[in-house]
Amino acid sequence: MMRINLKLMCLCVCICLVFLSVSIWTRCGGEIPSFSPSFRIESFRRAQSLNSGNENGAFEEIDCHINGDYSIPCRKEGDEVYLPFSFIHKYFEVYGKMAVYDGYMRFEWSHSYSKVYFPKGRYDPRGVFLYFENYNVELRERVKCISATEGVPVSTQWESTGYYYPTQVAQFGLAHYSKNLTEPEPRSRIFDDGLTVFGNWSGKVSRENRHLVFNKRENESRDVHMLMDHVLDFVLTVELLLKAGDNSSFTVVLQSREKNEAWNLHYSCNSPLIHSEHQDVYHRIECNEGKWSFLVRDLLVDLQKGLAAQMKPKKKLLRSKFKVTAIKLGGSGKLANLTLSSSRHLEQFYLAADWLVKHQNPVTGGWLNPVRRKGPHGMKDLLPGWLSAMGQGHGMSLLARAYHKSKRPEYLKAGLLSLRPFHADSSSGGVLAHFMGSLPWYEEYPTEPPSFVLNGFIYSLIGLYDLLTLVPKSHEATVLFNQGMDSLKKLLPLFDNGSGSNYDLRHFALGAAPNIARWDYHATHVNQLLLLATIDNHTVLSSTAERWLGYMSGKRAQHN
Amino acid sequence: MMRINLKLMCLCVCICLVFLSVSIWTRCGGEIPSFSPSFRIESFRRAQSLNSGNENGAFEEIDCHINGDYSIPCRKEGDEVYLPFSFIHKYFEVYGKMAVYDGYMRFEWSHSYSKVYFPKGRYDPRGVFLYFENYNVELRERVKCISATEGVPVSTQWESTGYYYPTQVAQFGLAHYSKNLTEPEPRSRIFDDGLTVFGNWSGKVSRENRHLVFNKRENESRDVHMLMDHVLDFVLTVELLLKAGDNSSFTVVLQSREKNEAWNLHYSCNSPLIHSEHQDVYHRIECNEGKWSFLVRDLLVDLQKGLAAQMKPKKKLLRSKFKVTAIKLGGSGKLANLTLSSSRHLEQFYLAADWLVKHQNPVTGGWLNPVRRKGPHGMKDLLPGWLSAMGQGHGMSLLARAYHKSKRPEYLKAGLLSLRPFHADSSSGGVLAHFMGSLPWYEEYPTEPPSFVLNGFIYSLIGLYDLLTLVPKSHEATVLFNQGMDSLKKLLPLFDNGSGSNYDLRHFALGAAPNIARWDYHATHVNQLLLLATIDNHTVLSSTAERWLGYMSGKRAQHN
């Protein structure tokens, strides 16, 4: 009898186990292979009976029919339906990621991905330019390289061969100006100044005043060089006078601290703008007979652009991973004031300012954009030679700071000359358009019909503001600024789409859909309005900035 | 030994059972009471170990942090995070409900809640007015009653005592005109016409030509009455001539077919507009000595408004649930042509048209809105006496149809007179505003500053169109229509917010947030544009309609 009991008990236990696991498993919404209608009926009935007996509800699979168009798999628990974030992400373009800290995991939902910089006080036209201390113009993918002849970036945005884009040149300068104000004093080490420090050069060199003179003879096999072992500071400055005919070059050897890999950064008269092959990167420098070049080179940037030219792009090269192991001098020439520094922001800022002075059209005051820019559907292309109110405005912001810092009159003169395109219609070579034929607007892109790009317009206003603080109150800069601010205040609401902002008003001109600003442009709009609100207390500026800030965390304008 | 084995086995089985249920239960994300950090760490570790061993993943609870502002409880299954619809609904204002059909349950997600009516062909100014055959103006909550003196609705929208709102009067007429074209021929039963049918009246009555004459003596206790048992058709028409001094009244007894509850619908000279107490509902009718009244009464509407006046509102009274059991005649008067019909749309349409003719200002051509309308923040209130381009336009649409149908010249005359306010600025009593001082716009609300309400403007254009088809091509109606269409085509993009439409352009005038159109207004915009696209092939009309239709199922304008 005991045996029978035992068998019976085993059977009971088995049945219990199977029943229990099936029961809990189905409540889990466990993966079930068939989705036939009969299964669904079962699932529905089960859910009903389970829910009635369990106030926590049971998980189960349920289809969500989206606007009658398609279905996605959802989950149901009691009265609540759960939707997969992968769907929500695509449908609403919101962002989410897992985050583990304080010992547990949560899911972080973000309505937008951009950052707003709150002004610390009233905008100062001599201070940092917005939040540009955070910009690294040279690292942008569409920057081909920093020209070694000009010291400013070369863009590939609208033409892959590369060209000087005045807006970008100015941004480069403004970023370095801002970094100079916000970063700690740079470290600097002199390697040769012919006065207190003399480089440890191997090879045939001589001195002439404070200059090093090198002159490679044809039968010599080795270049003049100096070995070093320098870490962390990779911004090189040097004055050079290379002799054009002698295949002259200045070369820095950069080595990986971990691997035994070295790159040669060559600066020579015979290179193209930039060229890169294997371990060699070439930049062209100017070799005007008798005229010294002043080089400021961020060696890591030069290496990065060289790697990019070989289609081996790296996002950012960490300076802790490299060292400078040698300087080599090829051919014939002279050298002075060789240093390596942690940064040379002010020098780079002046290189940009000088570029603007040198390349400004003396008649129109414009900085030409030498490329064709394809117009969006319904708009004509911009032909090479167009001017940009944003480029002009950035130029003013840069030159006003350069004049403030240096008091050199050519900077102020160039800044004032750059006002001219603001008086000429965008249809005839200038940057001035009118909304509905009456409200003046300074066009970032002087399109036909006008496009009324918001961020470019505001940058041009900031440029005008930076300039007007240097001149008498009745000056044209003030007039242009005031009439622009008036237009901005009137038209700003047309950029508000109730859950974000419009990049431009092309929809008005073209009768098309609005061109919604992606979140980084939207954040730029907010940053710009916050800045303007510190110098003009019209409520439309601050209230719009506040509302637009709200849009970035999912707030919306009310419906009626 | 057997005893020991048995005990051991029992213990084993117990442990197994507990282990199994806990294991599966936790994979269900079963409700767990504590949310302390230590639980979370456990939960996280468990999830990691479970997920690695099971590609289906396990359900578990996880917090979703929303924009760093607050948290909601979510679910996680493998790599997917599930968000509760109750949150999504509030955050994005989308809609969802369970639906069971074809034997299973699914969750239906709707981006919007409104319906679009696609035109079947080119818009016909003699045909149905948009989709107004679906409108039941009289059932709207803000309609206090259908005046028994005028036969048109009385609004409480901006004044609770009630007033005639020309726009609503016209919509009432246009709805009945449209229903007349789309509904089947009405059923009608004559109860007394003094020619072929004679009512079975109890009490002292006589005949005079084809009229019934009743005259209650002071010492008589019972009113003249006729018993009946009439179902389904509840639109009563009768011609009445009540004697004012004798407390005269015409009463219909309406009874519930299920419960034994009856209501008396009284129409008398001494009532206020509408009054209701217990089982009695009173409507005032005109008792001009010697002048016949023509009553068209939807008895169920009259009962519904009576119940609403007693704060016992019911959404809709089903006609299958009622019957007419008696007509009573109190005091003295005459009666003719007593009928009950399933509908009397054309008669109700003409009542609205006649109201418009009668109440039009003969100098300005306007239909006054006799109420103050509170302006939104930043706008002045509209003072009693304002005109609406929408009311004027609806009036035109109605009168053009009345003229077409009847050929009575007073309808055309009134229609043409109603053009006058389109020439007068909204600031000086008219309805004309200008966007940026140049583009003409007909204002539904002649606010200061202008508000540029879209749907009201388009309704006014449709009114102009209806009218211009009756007059020579060079007529002012055509000029007004064409200049309005030109403005519409130019300004339409400013109403596009990339995921819906703006109700108006108040944000432009006020420097404020856009006033987003709720989905029913948005659907109205789409319906109106689809209509205009059948009479004008400018692409901005059809492409905007198509894009705005897309917004209703979650599509959005692209960002850059």
Side-chain angles (χ1 to χ4, degrees):
Chain A
M1 191 195 155
M2 199 53 108
R3 284 185 87 88
I4 293 167
N5 269 0
L6 194 65
K7 274 186 179 166
L8 200 68
M9 181 167 284
C10 274
L11 191 68
C12 282
V13 163
C14 277
I15 289 170
C16 277
L17 271 171
V18 167
F19 179 80
L20 188 70
S21 31
V22 166
S23 145
I24 300 182
W25 173 250
T26 51
R27 293 178 60 195
C28 289
E31 205 70 35
I32 291 180
S34 155
F35 283 91
S36 69
S38 63
F39 161 68
R40 299 218 161 266
I41 296 169
E42 274 314 297
S43 160
F44 172 42
R45 285 189 191 135
R46 195 167 57 235
Q48 289 208 314
S49 62
L50 277 171
N51 286 345
S52 61
N54 178 355
E55 65 167 22
N56 292 333
F59 266 112
E60 47 174 337
E61 299 187 353
I62 186 169
D63 276 354
C64 285
H65 286 212
I66 306 301
N67 301 315
D69 293 335
Y70 57 96
S71 286
I72 58 160
C74 294
R75 300 291 181 263
K76 184 177 179 302
E77 183 194 33
D79 286 339
E80 186 67 272
V81 171
Y82 287 85
L83 290 110
F85 184 75
S86 56
F87 161 73
I88 300 291
H89 163 67
K90 264 170 74 174
Y91 190 95
F92 291 112
E93 268 193 81
V94 288
Y95 306 88
K97 62 174 197 293
M98 287 294 174
V100 183
Y101 54 84
D102 294 345
Y104 73 101
M105 178 168 58
R106 74 278 281 158
F107 183 72
E108 290 187 339
W109 162 296
S110 309
H111 199 83
S112 58
Y113 52 74
S114 282
K115 198 180 161 185
V116 166
Y117 299 92
F118 292 89
K120 295 179 190 78
R122 187 185 164 89
Y123 173 65
D124 174 10
R126 314 284 165 263
V128 295
F129 187 75
L130 284 95
Y131 42 89
F132 273 36
E133 71 273 21
N134 304 299
Y135 271 25
N136 274 308
V137 174
E138 40 273 72
L139 293 185
R140 291 178 190 165
E141 253 178 64
R142 57 179 184 264
V143 170
K144 189 184 180 87
C145 64
I146 303 301
S147 153
T149 58
E150 306 280 346
V152 299
V154 174
S155 176
T156 56
Q157 186 163 0
W158 293 302
E159 204 175 270
S160 60
T161 53
Y163 62 99
Y164 295 104
Y165 179 27
T167 299
Q168 191 175 72
V169 171
Q171 288 197 340
F172 170 83
L174 288 164
H176 283 291
Y177 182 86
S178 303
K179 285 176 198 289
N180 180 60
L181 290 175
T182 52
E183 289 185 3
E185 193 74 14
R187 274 188 314 271
S188 204
R189 182 169 160 196
I190 301 168
F191 283 87
D192 195 321
D193 66 359
L195 184 69
T196 57
V197 184
F198 296 87
N200 184 23
W201 299 100
S202 302
K204 188 83 180 177
V205 294
S206 60
R207 295 275 166 185
E208 184 181 281
N209 299 328
R210 289 169 57 185
H211 309 143
L212 181 82
V213 181
F214 56 99
N215 195 343
K216 184 186 170 188
R217 306 234 174 88
E218 278 185 18
N219 54 356
E220 277 181 273
S221 62
R222 289 185 61 205
D223 285 333
V224 172
H225 69 273
M226 166 165 50
L227 297 179
M228 48 175 70
D229 184 17
H230 193 71
V231 294
L232 291 174
D233 304 328
F234 295 107
V235 181
L236 176 140
T237 55
V238 68
E239 290 161 47
L240 280 181
L241 186 77
L242 294 190
K243 196 170 173 194
D246 285 1
N247 229 344
S248 306
S249 69
F250 175 87
T251 299
V252 184
V253 182
L254 203 59
Q255 192 178 305
S256 162
R257 288 168 77 175
E258 284 169 1
K259 292 179 260 177
N260 204 12
E261 195 177 9
W263 291 268
N264 304 304
L265 305 177
H266 306 282
Y267 304 88
S268 75
C269 320
N270 303 327
S271 301
L273 178 70
I274 182 171
H275 173 69
S276 179
E277 216 178 322
H278 308 302
Q279 302 302 110
D280 295 285
V281 179
Y282 302 86
H283 284 83
R284 182 161 64 87
I285 61 171
E286 217 60 75
C287 297
N288 293 329
E289 208 62 48
K291 191 160 174 269
W292 285 80
S293 298
F294 176 53
L295 285 196
V296 185
R297 305 307 302 173
D298 187 323
L299 301 175
L300 292 185
V301 170
D302 287 350
L303 174 58
Q304 191 218 34
K305 298 302 175 185
L307 292 175
Q310 288 191 45
M311 308 303 275
K312 301 178 193 164
K314 291 194 177 172
K315 272 279 169 213
K316 200 180 172 181
L317 303 178
L318 292 177
R319 53 193 209 151
S320 59
K321 307 236 164 164
F322 293 89
K323 57 181 176 181
V324 179
T325 54
I327 305 276
K328 297 180 182 173
L329 308 172
S332 311
K334 297 177 184 176
L335 171 151
N337 290 322
L338 176 66
T339 67
L340 277 168
S341 310
S342 53
S343 68
R344 283 289 195 163
H345 297 309
L346 220 45
E347 284 81 353
Q348 290 181 293
F349 159 69
Y350 280 122
L351 282 170
D354 292 340
W355 186 92
L356 289 173
V357 172
K358 184 173 154 195
H359 293 275
Q360 186 175 36
N361 182 303
V363 178
T364 66
W367 290 290
L368 297 189
N369 293 279
V371 287
R372 173 184 282 258
R373 177 182 175 264
K374 226 182 122 45
H377 183 73
M379 280 188 183
K380 294 176 188 163
D381 289 359
L382 293 177
L383 299 181
W386 55 274
L387 300 183
S388 164
M390 178 163 163
Q392 298 297 118
H394 270 358
M396 290 175 206
S397 291
L398 185 69
L399 291 167
R401 283 169 173 77
Y403 176 69
H404 156 74
K405 193 87 187 162
S406 71
K407 297 288 176 271
R408 283 172 56 191
E410 64 262 40
Y411 292 138
L412 181 58
K413 194 180 150 208
L416 295 175
L417 187 62
S418 71
L419 290 167
R420 286 197 187 164
F422 286 73
H423 299 286
D425 280 348
S426 53
S427 57
S428 53
V431 301
L432 179 63
H434 288 89
F435 183 78
M436 293 274 302
S438 65
L439 289 179
W441 189 272
Y442 313 132
E443 291 268 271
E444 176 175 352
Y445 304 110
T447 54
E448 199 185 325
S451 41
F452 305 104
V453 174
L454 181 59
N455 83 87
F457 177 53
I458 299 182
Y459 276 133
S460 78
L461 293 176
I462 296 171
L464 290 167
Y465 182 78
D466 290 343
L467 200 61
L468 73 84
T469 56
L470 299 174
V471 290
K473 274 202 171 176
S474 59
H475 192 273
E476 61 171 309
T478 310
V479 176
L480 288 168
F481 175 74
N482 288 342
Q483 74 174 21
M485 285 296 283
D486 182 57
S487 294
L488 177 69
K489 292 169 196 169
K490 287 191 176 128
L491 294 179
L492 194 53
L494 296 186
F495 290 89
D496 192 325
N497 62 43
S499 52
S501 54
N502 298 333
Y503 178 80
D504 53 26
L505 298 184
R506 70 171 66 168
H507 58 301
F508 177 71
L510 298 177
N515 180 24
I516 312 293
R518 61 173 189 257
W519 287 119
D520 48 9
Y521 278 117
H522 179 78
T524 297
H525 294 159
V526 175
N527 290 322
Q528 292 179 320
L529 293 176
L530 288 172
L531 180 152
L532 290 182
T534 71
I535 56 173
D536 185 319
N537 61 7
H538 195 292
T539 51
V540 78
L541 301 173
S542 52
S543 67
T544 303
E546 196 183 343
R547 193 167 56 252
W548 289 9
L549 193 64
Y551 294 162
M552 295 178 73
S553 54
K555 290 193 184 70
R556 285 189 311 260
Q558 290 195 320
H559 58 71
N560 59 3
Chain B
M1 192 193 152
M2 200 56 110
R3 281 188 88 89
I4 293 167
N5 268 358
L6 194 65
K7 274 188 180 166
L8 200 67
M9 181 167 283
C10 275
L11 192 67
C12 279
V13 164
C14 277
I15 290 171
C16 276
L17 271 170
V18 168
F19 179 80
L20 187 70
S21 32
V22 165
S23 145
I24 300 183
W25 173 250
T26 50
R27 293 177 60 195
C28 289
E31 203 71 35
I32 290 182
S34 155
F35 285 89
S36 70
S38 61
F39 159 67
R40 301 215 160 270
I41 297 168
E42 274 312 298
S43 159
F44 172 41
R45 284 187 192 137
R46 196 167 54 237
Q48 290 208 312
S49 61
L50 279 171
N51 287 344
S52 60
N54 177 355
E55 65 166 21
N56 293 331
F59 265 112
E60 45 173 340
E61 299 185 356
I62 186 168
D63 276 354
C64 284
H65 286 212
I66 308 300
N67 301 315
D69 293 335
Y70 57 96
S71 284
I72 57 159
C74 294
R75 301 289 182 266
K76 184 177 178 301
E77 185 194 33
D79 287 338
E80 186 66 271
V81 171
Y82 286 85
L83 290 109
F85 184 76
S86 56
F87 161 73
I88 301 290
H89 163 67
K90 265 171 74 174
Y91 190 95
F92 292 112
E93 269 194 80
V94 288
Y95 307 90
K97 64 173 195 297
M98 286 294 172
V100 182
Y101 54 84
D102 294 345
Y104 74 101
M105 178 168 58
R106 73 279 282 157
F107 184 72
E108 291 187 338
W109 161 298
S110 309
H111 199 83
S112 59
Y113 53 74
S114 281
K115 199 179 159 185
V116 165
Y117 298 92
F118 291 88
K120 294 176 192 81
R122 187 186 164 90
Y123 173 63
D124 173 9
R126 314 287 166 258
V128 296
F129 186 76
L130 285 94
Y131 44 88
F132 272 37
E133 71 273 20
N134 304 301
Y135 270 29
N136 275 307
V137 174
E138 39 272 72
L139 294 185
R140 290 178 189 164
E141 255 179 61
R142 57 180 186 264
V143 169
K144 189 186 182 86
C145 63
I146 303 301
S147 155
T149 59
E150 307 278 347
V152 299
V154 174
S155 176
T156 56
Q157 186 164 1
W158 293 304
E159 205 175 271
S160 59
T161 53
Y163 63 97
Y164 294 104
Y165 178 28
T167 299
Q168 191 175 71
V169 171
Q171 289 196 339
F172 170 81
L174 288 164
H176 284 291
Y177 182 86
S178 303
K179 284 175 198 288
N180 180 60
L181 289 174
T182 52
E183 289 186 4
E185 192 75 12
R187 271 189 315 271
S188 204
R189 181 170 159 195
I190 302 169
F191 284 87
D192 195 322
D193 66 357
L195 182 69
T196 57
V197 183
F198 296 86
N200 183 20
W201 299 99
S202 302
K204 187 81 177 177
V205 294
S206 61
R207 295 276 166 183
E208 186 178 280
N209 299 328
R210 290 169 56 184
H211 310 144
L212 181 83
V213 181
F214 57 98
N215 195 344
K216 184 186 172 187
R217 306 235 175 86
E218 279 188 16
N219 53 357
E220 276 180 273
S221 64
R222 290 183 64 207
D223 285 333
V224 172
H225 68 274
M226 168 167 43
L227 297 179
M228 51 175 72
D229 184 18
H230 193 73
V231 294
L232 292 174
D233 303 329
F234 296 107
V235 180
L236 177 141
T237 56
V238 66
E239 290 162 46
L240 280 179
L241 187 78
L242 296 188
K243 197 169 170 197
D246 286 359
N247 228 345
S248 306
S249 70
F250 174 87
T251 299
V252 183
V253 182
L254 204 59
Q255 192 177 308
S256 162
R257 287 168 78 173
E258 284 170 1
K259 292 181 256 175
N260 202 13
E261 195 177 12
W263 289 271
N264 304 305
L265 306 178
H266 306 282
Y267 304 89
S268 75
C269 318
N270 303 324
S271 302
L273 178 70
I274 183 170
H275 174 68
S276 177
E277 216 178 320
H278 308 301
Q279 301 304 110
D280 295 286
V281 179
Y282 301 86
H283 283 82
R284 183 159 64 84
I285 61 171
E286 217 61 74
C287 298
N288 292 329
E289 208 61 49
K291 192 162 172 268
W292 286 81
S293 298
F294 176 53
L295 286 196
V296 185
R297 306 307 302 172
D298 186 324
L299 303 174
L300 292 185
V301 170
D302 286 352
L303 174 58
Q304 192 219 33
K305 297 303 174 185
L307 292 173
Q310 289 190 45
M311 310 300 276
K312 299 177 192 164
K314 291 194 176 168
K315 273 277 171 215
K316 199 180 172 181
L317 303 178
L318 292 178
R319 52 191 209 154
S320 58
K321 307 234 164 165
F322 293 91
K323 59 181 173 181
V324 179
T325 55
I327 305 278
K328 296 179 183 174
L329 308 171
S332 310
K334 295 177 187 174
L335 172 154
N337 291 322
L338 177 65
T339 66
L340 278 168
S341 311
S342 54
S343 67
R344 284 290 196 163
H345 296 310
L346 219 46
E347 285 81 352
Q348 291 181 292
F349 160 68
Y350 280 121
L351 282 169
D354 292 341
W355 187 93
L356 289 173
V357 171
K358 186 172 152 195
H359 293 275
Q360 185 176 36
N361 183 304
V363 178
T364 65
W367 289 289
L368 297 189
N369 292 279
V371 288
R372 172 184 283 258
R373 177 179 176 268
K374 225 180 125 45
H377 184 73
M379 279 188 185
K380 292 177 190 162
D381 291 358
L382 293 178
L383 299 181
W386 55 275
L387 301 184
S388 164
M390 179 164 162
Q392 300 295 118
H394 270 358
M396 290 175 208
S397 291
L398 186 68
L399 291 167
R401 283 169 172 79
Y403 176 69
H404 157 72
K405 194 88 185 159
S406 70
K407 297 292 180 267
R408 284 172 55 190
E410 64 261 40
Y411 292 138
L412 181 58
K413 196 181 147 205
L416 294 175
L417 187 61
S418 71
L419 290 167
R420 286 200 186 161
F422 286 74
H423 297 285
D425 279 348
S426 53
S427 58
S428 53
V431 300
L432 179 63
H434 288 88
F435 183 78
M436 293 275 300
S438 66
L439 288 179
W441 190 273
Y442 313 131
E443 290 269 273
E444 176 176 349
Y445 303 111
T447 53
E448 199 185 324
S451 40
F452 306 103
V453 174
L454 181 59
N455 82 89
F457 178 53
I458 299 182
Y459 276 133
S460 77
L461 294 176
I462 296 171
L464 291 167
Y465 182 77
D466 290 342
L467 200 60
L468 73 83
T469 57
L470 299 174
V471 290
K473 275 201 169 174
S474 60
H475 192 273
E476 60 172 311
T478 311
V479 176
L480 289 167
F481 175 75
N482 288 343
Q483 74 173 20
M485 285 296 284
D486 181 59
S487 294
L488 177 69
K489 291 168 197 171
K490 286 191 176 127
L491 294 178
L492 196 53
L494 297 186
F495 290 88
D496 192 323
N497 61 44
S499 53
S501 55
N502 298 333
Y503 177 80
D504 53 26
L505 297 183
R506 72 172 63 167
H507 58 301
F508 178 71
L510 299 177
N515 180 23
I516 312 294
R518 61 174 189 257
W519 287 119
D520 47 9
Y521 278 116
H522 180 77
T524 297
H525 294 159
V526 175
N527 290 320
Q528 293 180 321
L529 293 175
L530 288 172
L531 181 152
L532 290 181
T534 71
I535 56 173
D536 185 319
N537 62 5
H538 194 293
T539 52
V540 78
L541 301 173
S542 51
S543 67
T544 303
E546 194 183 347
R547 192 167 58 250
W548 289 9
L549 194 64
Y551 294 163
M552 295 178 73
S553 54
K555 292 195 184 67
R556 286 189 310 260
Q558 290 195 319
H559 58 70
N560 59 2

